[in-house]
Amino acid sequence: QVQLVESGGGWVQAGGSLRLSCAASGSIFSLVAMGWYRQAPGKQRELVARITSTSTTNYADSVKGRFTIFRDNAKNTVYLQMNSLIPDDTAVYYCNAEIRPTLWQRVNDYWGQGTQVTVSS
C-alpha cells in the first residue's frame, strides 16, 4: 500500500505565496516521479509541475516563472512553491506519484486526497 499525504493549501490574496507538500509512504521500491495537478470547477484536471527521480522538471506554461517544484528524496516528499499567485490558480491541487511498489510490480500512479488553494483578487 502507498499513501500520499498533502498539506499546505489555503487562502491567499493575489500576489501572495503558498507552499504545498506531499509525502509518500508505504511500499515504495522505486519512486519514479512526483508531481502536482490541479482541477478548477468545471475544468479538467491539468498538470501543474512534475519532477523525476533525477530532478528533471516540467511545468505548465501558465505557471512557469512563478511556481517551483522540488523534492527531498530521503523523505519521499515533493514540494510546490507557488509565488505571485493569481485568481486563475484557484483549484484543488492533487499530488501524484509514479511508484513501483516492489521489484516485481509495474509502476503505478497514486494520488493524494487533494488540497484547496483559493486566491482572491
Side-chain angles (χ1 to χ4, degrees):
Q1 294 281 14
V2 173
Q3 298 83 37
L4 300 181
V5 178
E6 303 160 344
S7 62
W11 176 90
V12 67
Q13 286 189 322
S17 299
L18 286 173
R19 177 179 290 187
L20 306 181
S21 64
C22 173
S25 62
S27 179
I28 301 174
F29 174 78
S30 175
L31 205 164
V32 175
M34 298 186 79
W36 291 94
Y37 289 70
R38 67 186 181 187
Q39 187 167 19
K43 295 186 177 181
Q44 289 189 330
R45 189 175 297 189
E46 62 175 358
L47 172 69
V48 176
R50 179 178 180 269
I51 184 167
T52 70
S53 59
T54 57
S55 296
T56 298
T57 58
N58 61 290
Y59 295 90
D61 288 343
S62 60
V63 307
K64 284 180 180 177
R66 300 188 297 120
F67 291 9
T68 302
I69 189 169
F70 56 101
R71 60 189 284 175
D72 183 334
N73 288 333
K75 296 181 179 179
N76 288 333
T77 299
V78 66
Y79 304 90
L80 184 68
Q81 178 66 41
M82 304 184 293
N83 298 329
S84 301
L85 284 159
I86 61 177
D88 280 351
D89 294 322
T90 296
V92 178
Y93 284 68
Y94 295 92
C95 176
N96 169 267
E98 300 164 37
I99 293 172
R100 185 188 302 276
T102 68
L103 176 62
W104 302 276
Q105 291 177 277
R106 62 174 180 157
V107 176
N108 294 318
D109 271 320
Y110 296 88
W111 294 90
Q113 77 280 6
T115 185
Q116 177 70 45
V117 171
T118 302
V119 184
S120 66
S121 57

